[in-house]
């Protein structure tokens, strides 16, 4: 047992750190530090920089642009990217539908979609949740009826993140309603330009527009856009959700935010004393750091075990990563809001191109919206309560 | 980055696990607690035979050159079985102080005796006013030629009642809370002027109040620099905290196992209570607390050998915070989920709960270490 990084891993860390230091455009880095959302252009720009370097999809098979890095190096890369802090490549493409396509898709689909995902030529969104199918995802009602060489899709998807930018949506739809609910679902790739698709924004409590409702009304989808076998979509969805949990601890993001909390707390003063020197505050901060270190070690344990696991079988321990990772990220947003103090109050709607001055220190305006927005992370990706069900079942054997 | 045990470590783990499975079930444990010294001489010999008592020492002194990972393996097994023997006091603390602070001659004299099971040690540091501050030393050591004369009183000396020799911190120079001026002395437990009052601790182990009245310690029993022993004391207590973290993990792991088994068998409302989601979720939360604790016990084992004392101390503090918090949560919930039976002396889970509770109070509780960590700039300050 040796929990230190090897010299080779440390050299690799320095290499990626240096790359992020020089290759990430300053304007994007600034936005990330200050807690603003990167724009679509930002993400496209950054994804193409990564792709040019060959690092857009490190975890993919080498033939489709992967790097062949060990799980530890994959972890280091992600951690450094988050700490840069750089935007993460669009998860719906590179972490969700991409792996489904290269694992279960046919050769045509791989050739057609994978390179465009890596380069963010296609912006993907996720058509899983429905108004009546959240945690109980398998009860989804959207239907896909076969008609010649097309499926006719009808239904409503919701919580569809960044669908307003999307070129494609991967959808779960019911192709057989006469069987057990998990056994009649298929996984379809749908062009967002297809007639019959309507996207309606949902404004979230932070004031932002990230999520949408997507209505599908007699949408004609060529059968060649079915992934894998008809009625096997639930297996692919489980595979996808398991992958989603692995990267979900986002330890680098919490590290970056704690660094920011520390910096700002040494500037903000109560009387003459910097906030960081107030024992109550710094102990609260230290407590979050301890939890984060524990989570980092847990993450590394999962990563180290990954090379021995059967491909496509997520470690049920990754549910810990989801639960603690989200709790810690949320705790960091609370600390940041506490540092900002009274200047958490002014509300500045985040609009692209807006350049009026903010009320209060310019770093304060995102604190409260980030706190509000981050409540989502214990809900999405299988809510933390669902994760506890998974631990109880898969690990404790209830 | 490698979380696997080596082949040798795995063999060690297997043999310790087998020994504890064969000879240390809960009924035996309660029997051993009633022996005259509060622990089992027979098991102590078995540990010696397995080489456990020699584990951390150099081969030159009859040891096996084992590190914190080997110690972690043993301590986890001890934690699971609620072992009573003075392993921490003798091997980790006493032996550790000699190993890391003693002269070649002192090591050659004492370490082989520890290894063979013939010498038991204790470490006397706590005083009435010191709480968890190792540098707060009011016990005095006055120079008298090449010797020192010790006066003072030490409290809660783990296994101080059965120890053959006691390592004592005493002030040679400076005022009570100075970091400099502290010496470390190896005192024969039966030396003139040493009096001991042994008593049971809350977790079924043993400790003693030790009074030193004009106790003469010769030069050969001064460990290291008589005015600069604190760094070694801190190093060894950090190693001991890493060991205790592993012991706590063993105890927590056992509590979770017992609890889950209980929930799967106990019936109420015509069903096993483990079918209730509220209890499943609570168990999942115990599992998370355990695994976060395990991660930090591993981190502590790794960082116990860190050469930079400041980095080492921060890491150990962080681990002690996590272990304290995880231990409290897992322990309280284990008792809660067992219901009434968890409250009884007859059942193991309450004893495990008591042990992890007492581990929190050894060498600084979670709050103590959290404020130490915060004062020194936190874990992540570069």
């Amino acid at each position: 047992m040796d929990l230190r990084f090897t010299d080779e891993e440390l050299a690799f860390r320095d290499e990626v750190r240096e790359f992020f230091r020089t290759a990430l455009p300053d304007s994007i880095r600034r936005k990330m530090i200050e807690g603003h959302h990167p724009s679509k252009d930002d993400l496209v720009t950054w994804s193409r920089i990564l792709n040019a370097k060959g690092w857009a999809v490190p975890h993919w098979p080498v033939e489709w642009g992967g790097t062949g890095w060990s799980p530890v190096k994959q972890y280091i890369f992600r951690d450094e990217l988050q700490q840069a802090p750089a935007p993460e490549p669009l998860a719906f493409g590179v972490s969700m539908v991409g792996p489904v396509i290269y694992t279960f898709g046919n050769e045509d689909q791989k050739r057609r979609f994978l390179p465009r995902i890596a380069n963010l030529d296609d912006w993907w969104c996720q058509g899983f949740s429905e108004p009546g199918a959240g945690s109980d995802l398998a009860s989804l009602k959207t239907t896909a009826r076969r008609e010649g060489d097309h499926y006719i899709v009808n239904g409503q998807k919701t919580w569809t993140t960044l669908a307003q930018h999307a070129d494609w949506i991967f959808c779960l739809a019911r192709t057989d309603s006469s069987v057990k609910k998990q056994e009649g679902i298929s996984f379809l790739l749908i062009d967002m330009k297809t007639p019959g698709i309507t996207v309606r924004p949902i404004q979230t409590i932070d004031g932002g527009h990230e999520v949408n409702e997507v209505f599908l009304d007699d949408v004609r989808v060529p059968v060649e856009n079915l992934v894998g076998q008809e009625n096997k979509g639930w297996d692919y969805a489980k595979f996808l959700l398991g992958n989603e949990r692995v990267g979900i601890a986002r330890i680098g993001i919490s590290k970056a935010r704690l660094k920011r909390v520390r910096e700002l707390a040494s500037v903000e003063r109560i009387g003459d004393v910097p906030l960081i020197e107030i024992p109550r505050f710094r102990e609260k901060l230290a407590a979050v750091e301890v939890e984060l270190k524990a989570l980092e070690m847990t993450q590394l344990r999962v990563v180290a075990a990954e090379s021995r696991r059967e491909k496509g079988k997520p470690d049920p321990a990754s549910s810990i990563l989801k639960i603690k990772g989200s709790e810690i990220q949320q705790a960091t947003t609370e600390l940041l809001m506490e540092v900002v103090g009274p200047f958490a109050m002014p509300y500045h709607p985040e609009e692209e191109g807006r350049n009026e001055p903010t009320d209060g220190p310019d770093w304060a305006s995102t604190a409260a919206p980030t706190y509000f927005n981050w409540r989502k992370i214990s809900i999405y990706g299988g809510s933390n309560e669902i994760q506890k069900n998974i631990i109880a079942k898969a690990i404790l054997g209830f | 980055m490698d979380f696997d045990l080596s082949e040798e470590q795995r063999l060690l783990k297997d043999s310790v696990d087998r020994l504890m499975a064969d000879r240390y079930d809960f009924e035996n444990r309660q029997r051993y607690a009633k022996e005259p010294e509060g622990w089992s001489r027979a098991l102590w010999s078995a540990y010696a035979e397995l080489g456990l008592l020699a584990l951390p020492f150099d081969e030159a002194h009859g040891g096996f050159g084992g590190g914190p990972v080997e110690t972690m393996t043993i301590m986890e097994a001890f934690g699971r079985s609620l072992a009573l023997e003075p392993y921490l006091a003798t091997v980790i603390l006493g032996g550790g102080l000699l190993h890391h602070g003693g002269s070649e001659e002192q090591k050659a004299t004492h370490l082989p005796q520890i290894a063979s099971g013939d010498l038991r040690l204790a470490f006397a540091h706590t005083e009435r006013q010191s709480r968890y501050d190792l540098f707060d030393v009011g016990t005095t050591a006055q120079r008298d030629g090449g010797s020192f004369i010790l006066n003072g009183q030490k409290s809660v000396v783990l296994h101080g009642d059965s120890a053959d020799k006691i390592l004592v911190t005493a002030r040679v120079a400076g005022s009570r809370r100075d970091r400099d001026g502290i010496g470390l002395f190896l005192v024969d437990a039966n030396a003139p002027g040493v009096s001991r009052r042994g008593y049971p601790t809350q977790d079924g182990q043993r400790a003693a109040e030790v009074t030193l009245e004009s106790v003469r310690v010769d030069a050969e029993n001064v460990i290291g620099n008589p005015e600069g022993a604190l760094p070694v004391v801190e190093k060894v207590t950090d190693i001991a905290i890493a060991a205790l973290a592993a012991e706590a993990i063993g105890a927590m792991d056992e509590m979770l196992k017992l609890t889950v088994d209980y929930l799967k068998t106990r019936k109420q409302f015509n069903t096993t209570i483990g079918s209730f989601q509220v209890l499943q979720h609570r168990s999942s939360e115990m599992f998370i607390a355990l695994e976060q604790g395990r991660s930090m016990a591993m981190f502590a084992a790794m960082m116990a050998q860190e050469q930079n004392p400041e980095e080492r101390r921060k890491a150990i503090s962080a681990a002690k915070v996590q272990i304290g918090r995880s231990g409290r949560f897992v322990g309280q919930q284990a008792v809660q989920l067992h219901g009434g039976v968890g409250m009884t002396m007859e059942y193991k889970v309450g004893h495990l709960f008591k042990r992890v509770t007492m581990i929190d109070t050894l060498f600084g509780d979670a709050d103590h270490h959290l404020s130490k960590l915060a004062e020194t700039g936190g874990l992540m300050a570069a």
Side-chain angles (χ1 to χ4, degrees), chain A residues 222-234:
Chain A
V223 290
E224 70 212 44
N225 288 2
L226 169 77
V227 175
Q229 295 172 31
E230 196 177 85
N231 296 327
K232 290 279 183 223
W234 185 248

Side-chain angles (χ1 to χ4, degrees), chain B residues 50-66:
Chain B
L50 265 186
L52 306 188
L53 304 183
L55 195 77
F57 309 137
D58 295 337
E59 283 169 35
H61 306 120
F64 294 97

Side-chain angles (χ1 to χ4, degrees), chain A residues 374-395:
Chain A
W374 245 245
R375 301 314 299 172
K376 72 188 174 191
I377 60 179
S378 50
I379 299 168
Y380 68 37
S383 72
N384 286 14
E385 289 68 28
I386 292 291
Q387 303 303 330
K388 287 177 191 173
N389 289 349
I390 292 172
I391 292 173
K393 247 191 195 156
I395 299 177

Side-chain angles (χ1 to χ4, degrees), chain B residues 315-329:
Chain B
I316 294 291
S317 281
K320 195 67 165 56
V321 170
Q322 182 66 51
I323 291 293
R325 294 186 167 189
S326 287
R328 178 163 295 186
F329 181 78

